[in-house]
Amino acid sequence: IFMSLMDSITGKLFAKSPTEAIVDINGIRFRIHISISTYESLPSVGNPVELLTHLHVKEDILDLFGFKDSSERNLFINLNTITGIGPRSAMNILSGTNPNEFKNRIVSGDVQSLTVIPGIGPKTAKRIIVELKDKFVKLSADELPKEEGDASPELNDAYDALLALGFLSQDIKNEIGKVYQKGSGMKTEEIVRKVLIKLQ
């Protein structure tokens, strides 16, 4: 996950449209690109507003993108790692679906359902599935130590954290089951730390 210089912005909503929001902070107005779903979550003009942000820097261009929640921002950042998908295209994709629905389509490998989203053709859909599916597949009960019939929240959180650090899904699964001790009360941080020792 790429970190942005600006994590969030809080001010008064000066103006809004389905693609942009202008936020006033003590007389300085920021133009922020948004998705339709974020637009629908905005308050009325003149009211306080807070948006999570991502600052996109390219040559002499600075573009600020805003999001209603972290799941939307995380998907935007993941989409930007794919060749051929820039920030504007990623925002268009977010406007055509919601993050959970989109992730489910990727995990299921459903190329056809992805192509109904504006901006995604068959080739792009296949590329998205190949490059992102591994990041969205949750730990399954048959791949990890079972706790009440399923992976514990700590395991899932540790898995997500290690994926975000750039490790491969299969490598994480191979090691996480070795360090995790059922019923030990291991916290997410402890699981991550022990797996990191194994993977580095």
Side-chain angles (χ1 to χ4, degrees), residues 64-76:
L64 190 60
F65 294 84
F67 312 91
K68 63 179 181 178
D69 55 37
S70 59
S71 62
E72 189 179 50
R73 180 170 64 180
N74 288 340
L75 180 53
F76 172 85

Side-chain angles (χ1 to χ4, degrees), residues 153-191:
E154 291 77 16
L155 279 177
N156 277 322
D157 289 344
Y159 175 81
D160 288 342
L162 290 161
L163 267 184
L165 290 172
F167 294 103
L168 296 176
S169 175
Q170 195 55 52
D171 292 340
I172 298 170
K173 291 173 182 176
N174 289 341
E175 298 299 334
I176 205 168
K178 298 176 184 177
V179 305
Y180 178 75
Q181 299 173 13
K182 181 180 177 181
S184 64
M186 290 177 68
K187 301 296 184 183
T188 299
E189 295 82 359
E190 185 179 359
I191 299 171

Side-chain angles (χ1 to χ4, degrees), residues 57-139:
V57 181
K58 185 177 181 181
E59 298 174 354
D60 59 346
I61 299 174
L62 291 177
D63 275 332
L64 190 60
F65 294 84
F67 312 91
K68 63 179 181 178
D69 55 37
S70 59
S71 62
E72 189 179 50
R73 180 170 64 180
N74 288 340
L75 180 53
F76 172 85
I77 293 172
N78 278 314
L79 285 168
N80 269 278
T81 65
I82 298 173
T83 303
I85 296 182
R88 297 299 180 96
S89 296
M91 193 58 77
N92 288 339
I93 291 171
L94 285 175
S95 290
T97 184
N98 69 68
N100 287 334
E101 178 183 308
F102 190 79
K103 290 176 182 179
N104 289 336
R105 292 177 180 183
I106 292 172
V107 171
S108 65
D110 192 343
V111 172
Q112 186 174 357
S113 70
L114 287 175
T115 59
V116 303
I117 300 171
I120 300 182
K123 289 184 179 179
T124 302
K126 291 175 183 177
R127 192 182 307 126
I128 290 172
I129 290 169
V130 168
E131 297 191 29
L132 294 186
K133 183 175 181 178
D134 208 38
K135 294 184 179 181
F136 298 148
V137 175
K138 287 290 186 180
L139 300 176

Side-chain angles (χ1 to χ4, degrees), residues 23 30 34 38 47 50 82 90-91 101 139 142 158 191 195:
V23 178
F30 292 84
I34 58 174
T38 292
N47 285 302
E50 179 178 9
I82 298 173
M91 193 58 77
E101 178 183 308
L139 300 176
D142 60 347
I191 299 171
V195 173

Side-chain angles (χ1 to χ4, degrees), residues 13-45:
L13 186 62
F14 180 79
K16 64 179 179 177
S17 76
T19 58
E20 289 183 341
I22 298 177
V23 178
D24 185 298
I25 303 177
N26 298 324
I28 300 175
R29 293 169 185 166
F30 292 84
R31 185 181 300 276
I32 306 168
H33 303 287
I34 58 174
S35 69
I36 290 176
S37 59
T38 292
Y39 167 75
E40 292 174 344
S41 72
L42 292 175
S44 301
V45 170

